Amino acid sequence: LKRAPQVGRPGSAPCIAASAPAMSTWSGTEYEGPHKNEWYEGEGKFRFPNGVVYEGQFRKGEFHGKGALVYPNGGRYEATWERGYAVEGCYVFNDGLLYEDKNWKYVSQGDRRFYTEVLEGLQPAGQTLLTNEKESPPIPKGAYDYGSGYFDPQTEQIMSYDGKEVIGYATEMEEKWIKDHCRKGFEDDTPPIEENPEDAEQAEVVEAVK
């Protein structure tokens, strides 16, 4: 499961050169780039404490012009900005898949292929991809693959794949969708094989004959 990000501006405090070190101390942000009249100006980088980095144009301390929010997972929100606000943009996942906020047909009822399968074709029978990755990340038994981590139904937390970080919490509606659509973790990371009732009946007959 993949989902589009939220966007924002670096902050309401004036981004002037003289106060940049002090602001970085209490906000955990970092700026790399030129200044003009004590404002962030031109091409630069603004790093948020959560790891998101804005790379692009600044004007008077605000995102202005062409720029992208680059996320730790490699995804990018590329946009045209005006005084700190995105007026037009799109999200591109780290594998190049473009997110469309209207009529998005990716992994829809009409086309169940992952983006890797769109690019490279479907795999042979028995090697069908369970996620967009060629090798699905391991997840705990009973958990659900969320796309950027796994959902633990016991704690209702969304964890990073290594289990060291809480990414977020699922709403009741999200939890239902996850359980209905996402890959579930099994003991050997492969779904159990459902026994055919006819095969079971035949086995009983053979055993009785013996």
Side-chain angles (χ1 to χ4, degrees):
L1 174 66
K2 296 180 175 178
R3 54 173 52 184
Q6 296 180 338
V7 298
R9 56 194 301 175
S12 58
C15 299
I16 57 176
S19 64
M23 186 181 76
S24 296
T25 299
W26 58 258
S27 69
T29 60
E30 296 178 11
Y31 171 74
E32 298 176 21
H35 298 79
K36 182 178 179 181
N37 297 328
E38 298 188 331
W39 295 102
Y40 299 164
E41 191 83 12
E43 294 283 341
K45 293 182 180 181
F46 189 94
R47 189 180 307 275
F48 293 88
N50 63 357
V52 177
V53 180
Y54 170 81
E55 299 179 350
Q57 299 173 327
F58 289 80
R59 183 179 178 188
K60 291 187 176 181
E62 297 177 314
F63 302 167
H64 191 85
K66 298 292 184 182
L69 288 171
V70 183
Y71 291 80
N73 63 4
R76 299 171 59 88
Y77 181 77
E78 301 174 350
T80 299
W81 303 79
E82 289 186 6
R83 301 194 63 182
Y85 292 93
V87 295
E88 183 180 6
C90 61
Y91 183 79
V92 181
F93 291 97
N94 58 7
D95 56 11
L97 174 65
L98 176 65
Y99 172 78
E100 298 176 20
D101 59 356
K102 294 181 180 179
N103 302 319
W104 199 32
K105 297 183 190 240
Y106 176 67
V107 193
S108 63
Q109 186 173 1
D111 187 351
R112 300 294 299 169
R113 294 175 299 167
F114 290 108
Y115 188 57
T116 299
E117 295 173 319
V118 173
L119 293 178
E120 303 179 7
L122 294 172
Q123 299 296 311
Q127 300 179 28
T128 304
L129 298 182
L130 298 176
T131 69
N132 189 52
E133 307 297 332
K134 291 184 178 179
E135 293 186 9
S136 302
I139 57 177
K141 181 180 179 181
Y144 294 84
D145 193 343
Y146 184 72
S148 57
Y150 65 85
F151 171 70
D152 186 342
Q154 299 297 323
T155 62
E156 299 183 347
Q157 295 177 327
I158 300 171
M159 307 293 298
S160 58
Y161 281 120
D162 60 12
K164 297 180 180 179
E165 181 182 356
V166 178
I167 298 177
Y169 296 85
T171 64
E172 184 176 346
M173 184 179 298
E174 286 177 324
E175 181 176 350
K176 184 179 185 306
W177 195 97
I178 291 170
K179 290 181 176 179
D180 289 343
H181 296 85
C182 295
R183 174 176 68 103
K184 186 176 182 180
F186 294 90
E187 199 162 6
D188 59 355
D189 207 33
T190 57
I193 300 174
E194 295 184 3
E195 187 176 12
N196 189 324
E198 294 181 1
D199 293 340
E201 185 176 343
Q202 291 177 3
E204 290 178 2
V205 172
V206 172
E207 188 65 27
V209 172
K210 290 181 180 179

